[in-house]
Amino acid sequence: AYIRDRDVKGTLGAVAAAVLAFAYTGVVIGFLLAIRREQGVWVMASVVLVIKLCDIGALFTGLAIGKHKLIEWISPKKTWEGFVGGVLTSGVAAVVLLLIARSAGESAASESLRAMPLWLAGVLGVVLGAAGQAGDLSESVLKRDAGMKDSGRIVPGFGGVVDVLDSLVLAGPLAYWGLMAASWV
């Protein structure tokens, strides 16, 4: 399709973008499904919640006390204060969700996950929050390169489907391997 006019200029970039789009969503869905299969739906939902709560914590912290720009040329509204507030929100959320899983019993999480130390849940939450922010910034780089502000109009107010999934791309694999490692502790 890219060379139908007998012009190969830009073909490599277009094909690379198409492959990236499939890999981008495939990685997210694949690792979340692996977490669902091995740890259960509650754990998968908790992982997504911990990662997305970083965005919410960063937004409110940045609005309240944000002064120092994180990487202005990539994402002009993000601040260092927001970043710290977001990752701390993720850490606290991970601890709270683990406490809820422990009190909910067998159905909420595997025995090895319920035995996870609270400090490890907090550290994993902070790491997932930071990885989510890195995924968000990575997607912002791609949007800036494409000259777009939002990745679509399907999810109004959130910038598009890719803008909703961006934080999960880097954090999804880390969540999977982090949960696996936590079960060995």
Side-chain angles (χ1 to χ4, degrees):
Y2 294 119
I3 60 170
R4 67 181 167 265
D5 296 330
R6 297 181 183 215
D7 182 12
V8 295
K9 187 174 181 180
T11 302
L12 181 61
V15 170
V19 170
L20 177 65
F22 283 109
Y24 201 74
T25 54
V27 166
V28 171
I29 293 168
F31 276 100
L32 290 179
L33 289 176
I35 291 170
R36 161 65 176 101
R37 183 186 71 235
E38 294 178 19
Q39 300 284 342
V41 70
W42 199 92
V43 175
M44 182 194 69
S46 295
V47 164
V48 172
L49 187 61
V50 163
I51 296 165
K52 296 314 286 180
L53 279 172
C54 183
D55 293 343
I56 295 166
L59 172 67
F60 286 114
T61 305
L63 288 174
I65 60 171
K67 300 263 187 268
H68 303 92
K69 299 295 181 184
L70 186 61
I71 306 174
E72 192 169 10
W73 59 274
I74 294 176
S75 193
K77 293 183 179 179
K78 291 192 183 306
T79 64
W80 280 104
E81 294 85 358
F83 175 81
V84 171
V87 296
L88 289 177
T89 300
S90 287
V92 169
V95 170
V96 169
L97 288 167
L98 180 57
L99 289 170
I100 292 170
R102 286 178 178 172
S103 67
E106 296 283 327
S107 63
S110 66
E111 184 63 37
S112 62
L113 186 62
R114 283 195 308 276
M116 179 190 298
L118 290 177
W119 69 265
L120 185 56
V123 169
L124 187 57
V126 166
V127 168
L128 293 180
Q133 289 295 305
D136 183 48
L137 289 167
S138 298
E139 195 259 343
S140 291
V141 167
L142 297 176
K143 287 190 310 186
R144 298 292 177 260
D145 183 50
M148 300 171 59
K149 182 187 179 308
D150 295 330
S151 63
R153 294 187 190 108
I154 293 175
V155 186
F158 291 97
V161 173
V162 176
D163 286 308
V164 173
L165 296 176
D166 58 6
S167 56
L168 299 172
V169 171
L170 295 178
L174 282 176
Y176 176 79
W177 292 111
L179 289 169
M180 293 299 288
S183 69
W184 302 329
V185 172

